[in-house]
Amino acid sequence: MRITLIAGARPNFMKIAPIIHAIQKAKKSGEQIDYRLVHTGQHYDEKMSETFFKQLNIPHPDVNLACGGGSQAEQTAAIMLAFEKEILANPSDLVVVVGDVTSTMACSIVAKKLSIKVAHVEAGIRSWDCSMPEEINRMLTDSITDCFFTTSTLAGENLLNEGHKKEQIHFVGNVMIDTLRANESRFQQPEVWKELGLSPKAYLVMTMHRPANVDEEAKLKEFISSIDDNTNAMPVVFPIHPRTKAILEKAGIQMKNIHLVEPLGYLEFNYLVKHAKGVLTDSGGITEETTVMNVPCITLRDNTERPETIDIGTNELIGTDPKKIKPALEKLLAGKWKQGHIPEKWDGKAAERIVSILCHSL
């Protein structure tokens, strides 16, 4: 079986990596399976360097389609045009897409129009909020997918409710947790640890990147002020995107407890998360990692596509009203946060299950 694996952004490689490792293991045991790794180049990331690939034992892509930049429509079109040429030049039996970026949707459409089967890893998760581009990507991808690999039973129920057949849906677990488990013993203390004099469970970690939270200067200022004023002088480490940093600087926001730092590598960032008192974020993926590492997590969003992190894990969804930050932080800092548990099959073996199904059930 010839498989084409699609990655469009840095997080995609973290999801693809364990699948590649599982394919390599299957090949050694005699399975007739091989892959080609295609990077669409959707996101240019200067940290996608030799160090990144080496740190996480991630193979370099066989090709980079260099489709970064432009509007949503321009990028979708560029990816479709480039991937069509790629897949015609390098035929495949199956295209495997992961997550919910534009590349996920665009490459799925190209594959299906060329009568190539599509498998979607992290299929069926829904926020039901179509103001999020990722939700549109997820829904459109799943509407034409042949084989669904899900992270939860709820995701499978979503797919059944959308009319897909039970035999198409495979509950395998979470490949992001495969990567987390494989690298947890290798987490690296970042330089900021000593620079800020941090110690375990005596600081918070913060991330914020969604346009709804950071693009409006007044709203961002209120968010930052609410967090900065309610940490009981506990330091908050905020690895910040340059774009968000520019908005903060323009607004002239003064901070006494929040410390802005450059974006961190995977091993360094997760070291901070693992040892933090808690995390404030608007990211979906981080809520999964905090759940597995048993770190309290406050999510600054009105909805989430990962409800298991709330129902089972350490995450609480408090919405986008800055006034709700104070009571959430008081609860967290007082040590009264709920006790979480690890969702079913988030055990580091999701990729092995995926590759076993690819070898024996398709």
Side-chain angles (χ1 to χ4, degrees), residues 196 198 202-206 224-238 254-260 329 333:
L196 296 178
L198 302 178
Y203 64 93
L204 302 170
V205 173
M206 173 181 172
I224 296 295
S225 297
S226 296
I227 295 168
D228 196 46
D229 292 342
N230 291 288
T231 69
N232 288 346
M234 185 175 284
V236 181
V237 184
F238 185 5
Q254 300 298 313
M255 293 167 283
K256 53 185 180 294
N257 297 312
I258 297 176
H259 303 272
L260 306 183
L329 278 174
L333 295 172

Side-chain angles (χ1 to χ4, degrees), residues 289-328:
E289 293 163 339
T290 51
T291 282
V292 171
M293 291 189 282
N294 196 32
V295 176
C297 184
I298 298 171
T299 296
L300 309 170
R301 287 172 57 184
D302 294 316
N303 52 58
T304 180
E305 64 280 4
R306 294 168 170 86
E308 62 273 17
T309 65
I310 298 170
D311 300 335
I312 301 169
T314 58
N315 183 30
E316 286 289 350
L317 196 72
I318 69 165
T320 54
D321 181 356
K323 293 182 178 64
K324 294 184 178 180
I325 291 174
K326 181 179 179 179

Side-chain angles (χ1 to χ4, degrees), residues 69 71 121 137 155 165 172 200 204 265-266 285 311 356-357:
S71 68
V121 177
N137 294 339
K165 297 177 182 177
V172 294
L204 302 170
Y266 180 86
D311 300 335
S356 178
I357 291 165

Side-chain angles (χ1 to χ4, degrees), residues 157-229:
E157 291 170 10
N158 290 337
L159 293 167
L160 289 172
N161 291 336
E162 291 172 7
H164 299 290
K165 297 177 182 177
K166 187 175 181 180
E167 56 266 29
Q168 293 177 281
I169 303 167
H170 306 276
F171 174 31
V172 294
N174 192 329
V175 288
M176 278 293 280
I177 303 308
D178 288 15
T179 296
L180 186 76
R181 293 293 196 196
N183 291 283
E184 196 167 5
S185 65
R186 301 173 57 245
F187 289 168
Q188 297 176 7
Q189 189 180 97
E191 292 180 6
V192 70
W193 182 273
K194 291 181 180 178
E195 290 172 0
L196 296 178
L198 302 178
S199 58
K201 307 304 177 186
Y203 64 93
L204 302 170
V205 173
M206 173 181 172
T207 76
M208 196 180 295
H209 72 281
R210 293 191 178 275
N213 286 340
V214 303
D215 282 3
E216 292 182 29
E217 186 178 303
K219 186 175 183 180
L220 178 60
K221 188 172 184 177
E222 196 173 355
F223 261 131
I224 296 295
S225 297
S226 296
I227 295 168
D228 196 46
D229 292 342

